[in-house]
Amino acid sequence: MGTKEAVKRNQSSMQVLKTLQLLLEDNYTMSELIHKLNANEKEPVFNNSVVSKYINTCRFCGLDIPKIHNKYFVASLPFGIDLSARELDLIEELQNAVKNTMSSKADGAFNDFLEKLSKYSNKKIIRVEQKTKQQAFELFDKAVAEKRRINLLFRAKAVFECIPLRIVEKKGKTCFNVIHDGKEKTISAERISGLEIMDRRFKQPDSNSTQEVVFKLTGGLAQRYSLKENEELYKKELPESITVINRGENKEDLFARLLRYDSSCEILQPAHYREEMKSLIEEMLRNYEA
């Protein structure tokens, strides 16, 4: 009796490992998992209930396996390879060398290898929903700090590979500010179902060409202000105030112009522009006191 139970437990353990092995190969729907797992069995032994149980077993063991776009992702492994920033740079240099010096077939094979490697690395995928939004924003900020590209998985099933810039507020909604296909985009978090940090790095974009500055104008200035070519109205609360988004204006020119508006103008975002403006005003006041 004891031997039979041990054999049964061992068989179940093997099925769990088979399920995990498949999940580490790619991202699959439940029906795809069942089909691929049963393809290697003499008779079908995997079904929805069984595979769900095995996935939950993996989760219980510390694997993060979210379901996004109806597919299961291995988001992180407790035993994953912790790739340092320098190691990621070396991988990218090697990838560029293969692309520039070897055949397209070799380049494709090397990229396939890197995809397999990334399954075991310290990349992270998270399902973006109400209870995990803050975690997703922290993950986005981590990607910005580490200069890693991201994938945004839309609820409409599209996937955008992006360069992350910052988290912004737009019309009362929290948004991801990114560069996609060479263009800056502001995408509401409500449109996103998943976020993935990639191993691929990016070069810091030119801040002057992509910077988005949000400032608030009050009183009479708000009522008579004319939007510049690179600006749009973000919020209109006349006669009290308007909020304006300015894109791409040279920082020194913008600061010089906003300073002329005196107390009728307040920079809201980004935070470092706000702090720079405060420091500039404080320095000017100290000069006058002297």
Side-chain angles (χ1 to χ4, degrees):
M1 185 73 172
T3 303
K4 288 183 179 179
E5 288 180 355
V7 170
K8 184 177 180 180
R9 282 198 296 270
N10 287 337
Q11 287 176 340
S12 295
S13 299
M14 286 301 298
Q15 304 297 46
V16 170
L17 292 175
K18 287 178 183 178
T19 303
L20 175 58
Q21 182 183 34
L22 192 59
L23 286 168
L24 287 171
E25 289 178 5
D26 208 340
N27 311 315
Y28 295 112
T29 64
M30 177 59 74
S31 59
E32 289 170 340
L33 284 169
I34 293 170
H35 174 74
K36 287 181 174 293
L37 287 166
N38 280 327
N40 296 319
E41 302 293 330
K42 292 180 180 179
E43 58 183 42
V45 294
F46 291 91
N47 56 44
N48 194 308
S49 175
V50 168
V51 176
S52 293
K53 182 175 68 175
Y54 293 159
I55 290 174
N56 285 332
T57 299
C58 291
R59 288 168 173 162
F60 182 78
C61 293
L63 281 79
D64 190 6
I65 308 177
K67 184 181 179 182
I68 309 173
H69 289 181
N70 211 32
K71 289 189 175 185
Y72 292 90
F73 290 73
V74 175
S76 65
L77 297 167
F79 47 83
I81 304 171
D82 187 16
L83 294 173
S84 68
R86 179 54 183 154
E87 288 169 335
L88 288 170
D89 288 340
L90 288 171
I91 288 174
E92 185 172 6
E93 289 175 16
L94 185 57
Q95 187 177 23
N96 289 332
V98 171
K99 183 177 182 179
N100 294 329
T101 62
M102 302 184 72
S103 67
S104 57
K105 184 177 180 180
D107 182 40
F110 187 73
N111 285 328
D112 289 342
F113 163 72
L114 291 183
E115 282 296 316
K116 291 180 181 178
L117 178 64
S118 72
K119 285 285 185 178
Y120 295 90
S121 74
N122 56 1
K123 74 170 186 176
K124 180 73 178 177
I125 304 169
I126 188 170
R127 181 176 178 82
V128 181
E129 51 192 6
Q130 193 60 41
K131 62 182 179 182
T132 60
K133 271 189 178 180
Q134 187 56 43
Q135 189 180 353
F137 297 150
E138 290 172 3
L139 195 63
F140 183 94
D141 288 338
K142 186 173 186 287
V144 174
E146 295 181 357
K147 295 184 174 59
R148 294 206 209 180
R149 293 175 179 268
I150 63 168
N151 274 331
L152 290 179
L153 290 72
F154 285 74
R155 298 191 188 282
K157 308 302 182 185
V159 179
F160 280 10
E161 181 181 325
C162 309
I163 292 175
L165 298 178
R166 63 192 68 84
I167 300 291
V168 299
E169 294 291 328
K170 187 171 184 179
K171 297 181 179 179
K173 295 181 179 180
T174 305
C175 303
F176 298 110
N177 188 213
V178 300
I179 295 176
H180 172 65
D181 282 347
K183 297 180 180 179
E184 185 175 347
K185 299 180 184 292
T186 302
I187 302 167
S188 171
E190 294 178 2
R191 298 177 58 198
I192 303 301
S193 61
L195 185 151
E196 174 184 6
I197 289 186
M198 305 176 69
D199 290 335
R200 291 181 60 203
R201 315 267 286 179
F202 66 85
K203 292 182 179 179
Q204 188 67 38
D206 181 359
S207 59
N208 282 334
S209 65
T210 62
Q211 187 67 70
E212 181 177 271
V213 182
V214 182
F215 59 88
K216 184 177 182 179
L217 303 175
T218 57
L221 179 62
Q223 298 178 51
R224 64 177 182 270
Y225 186 78
S226 297
L227 292 173
K228 310 304 183 230
E229 185 178 352
N230 58 327
E231 293 178 341
E232 68 177 81
L233 190 63
Y234 175 71
K235 189 183 294 184
K236 186 177 181 180
E237 296 178 328
L238 291 174
E240 287 79 14
S241 67
I242 61 171
T243 304
V244 177
I245 296 177
N246 177 292
R247 294 187 177 89
E249 186 170 350
N250 178 273
K251 183 171 69 173
E252 287 71 24
D253 293 342
L254 178 63
F255 275 23
R257 180 162 64 87
L258 297 187
L259 278 170
R260 294 200 301 269
Y261 301 151
D262 198 31
S263 60
S264 296
C265 177
E266 178 187 4
I267 292 180
L268 303 179
Q269 293 177 2
H272 66 278
Y273 265 43
R274 181 181 173 88
E275 293 304 315
E276 284 184 54
M277 178 63 89
K278 285 172 64 178
S279 298
L280 186 59
I281 293 172
E282 289 170 0
E283 184 179 348
M284 290 173 64
L285 289 173
R286 284 195 297 270
N287 289 338
Y288 278 107
E289 288 172 358

